[in-house]
Structure formats: C-alpha cells, structure tokens
Amino acid sequence: MEKSTVINPMPPGGRIASVDVYRGFVMLLMMGEVLSFQSVAIALPDNKLWQVLAFNQSHVPWTWLSLHDMIQPSFSFLVGVVLPFSLASRINKVATTTALLGHALFRSLILVFLGFFLRSLESDQTNYTFEDTLTQIGLGYTFLVMLGFCSRKVQIGRLLLFWLVIGLPLPCTHYPGPALIMHPQA
C-alpha cells in the first residue's frame, strides 16, 4: 500500500491561516471583474448560479450590498489585523522606531503612487484620485503604524473620537440627514 504524502500541511512559521484564507477570498472577489461573470449572467438569464455570482461580483445600487462592495473594507480590515504582528516581528528583529516609521512612510508612498498609476492606465493623463483601495490604505498606513506605538488607552480614545467625528452631521445646508435613506421605487 502506498503511503500518502502531505505537502506543506501547516502554514509557514507563525502565520495565521484564517487571515491568509480571508486574504485569498478577497483577492478572488477582485478577480470577479476580470472573469466577466456579468457577461455570462446576461447570456444565461435563467441560470440562478450565474445571476448570484454576477450580483456578488459587481457594485449594486446604494440600497443594497454585495460581496464586491466589501473588497475595500476587507483590505482595510486585513491591514489593521496584521499590523500588530508585523510591528512585533520587526521589533523582535531589533528595528528602531525611526526605521519602522521610515519603512511605513516608504510603503505608504508606494501604495499611493501605485493607486495613481493603476487609475491612470487607460488615460492620457495622470489621475490623482483617492477613491481606490490602494491609495486609501496608503494614505492611512503611516498613521496606523504611529497609532500602533501608542498605549491601548490612547488607541481606544482616538477610535472613540474618530467615531464621534464621523457620526456627527456636517454643518452644511445640503446635508440630507435621514433623507439619505433610499427606498426602492414602487
């Protein structure tokens, strides 16, 4: 009888398998645009599987949510989850605070400029936009690293302050307030 072999049954030293699986799932969601599930769903309108796949691989009206709409929040979540492990690993390798901040700033700049580059690929000019995932993570990454050096009390205080600031209505005349809730047309 032949003995079965398992290749690499454990994640590489110290990795968290659930984070790697979630990251892979988010990358698969990003591939949905390239795989053109929408075209297949249009060609097979009676096939429920392709309709569900197409729905979850594209943006939907503001009154609903699909998996595709969770790509950017998922990446931001993943950055926040892995940052403490990354900082701890670099500190264990005797990295100084200055070196860590320099690395974070360098990484932030790369992400921001990569976002600009990808937004400008099919354009005659450079598009300096900030709505894509890479640019947004790049803009916040250095601040997140600096927050990682603060005490837990400071981190919680800044989180509460952030929630308070984004939860307050803006003092402008055209703020929609409760009217922002959209109802489907009858």
Side-chain angles (χ1 to χ4, degrees), residues 3 47 64 72 83 119 137 150 156 169 171-172 178 183:
K3 189 177 180 182
N47 189 310
W64 196 238
Q72 194 279 342
L83 185 72
R119 286 291 176 182
I137 290 173
C150 297
I156 291 171
C172 59
H183 301 283

Side-chain angles (χ1 to χ4, degrees), residues 5-180:
T5 59
V6 178
I7 299 174
N8 199 12
M10 299 294 289
R15 294 190 66 91
I16 301 172
S18 58
V19 172
D20 288 335
V21 168
Y22 189 55
R23 184 183 298 121
F25 177 67
V26 173
M27 296 300 287
L28 179 67
L29 290 177
M30 288 178 58
M31 288 300 298
E33 290 182 61
V34 176
L35 298 175
S36 300
F37 288 162
Q38 284 287 74
S39 301
V40 178
I42 290 169
L44 302 170
D46 296 329
N47 189 310
K48 292 290 184 197
L49 172 67
W50 286 106
Q51 298 305 314
V52 169
L53 288 174
F55 174 83
N56 283 295
Q57 292 296 314
S58 59
H59 293 290
V60 294
W62 189 240
T63 57
W64 196 238
L65 178 75
S66 73
L67 287 174
H68 190 79
D69 296 311
M70 296 304 297
I71 292 172
Q72 194 279 342
S74 294
F75 268 116
S76 295
F77 172 76
L78 284 167
V79 169
V81 166
V82 302
L83 185 72
F85 298 104
S86 176
L87 286 177
S89 172
R90 289 182 174 273
I91 290 170
N92 286 339
K93 295 176 184 171
V94 195
T96 64
T97 303
T98 305
L100 289 169
L101 286 174
H103 177 76
L105 185 60
F106 180 70
R107 182 174 277 187
S108 292
L109 290 172
I110 287 174
L111 289 170
V112 168
F113 285 114
L114 186 57
F116 292 160
F117 172 75
L118 292 174
R119 286 291 176 182
S120 304
L121 278 178
E122 297 178 13
S123 178
D124 294 336
Q125 64 183 23
T126 302
N127 294 315
Y128 297 103
T129 61
F130 299 97
E131 78 273 359
D132 63 88
T133 303
L134 289 175
T135 306
Q136 290 174 1
I137 290 173
L139 290 172
Y141 186 73
T142 300
F143 296 105
L144 184 63
V145 169
M146 290 189 306
L147 189 60
F149 293 122
C150 297
S151 69
R152 187 172 303 236
K153 184 185 272 187
V154 170
Q155 291 174 352
I156 291 171
R158 290 189 181 162
L159 176 65
L160 293 174
L161 178 65
F162 174 74
W163 284 346
L164 178 68
V165 168
I166 65 167
L168 292 175
L170 297 174
C172 59
T173 57
H174 61 276
Y175 177 71
L180 184 62

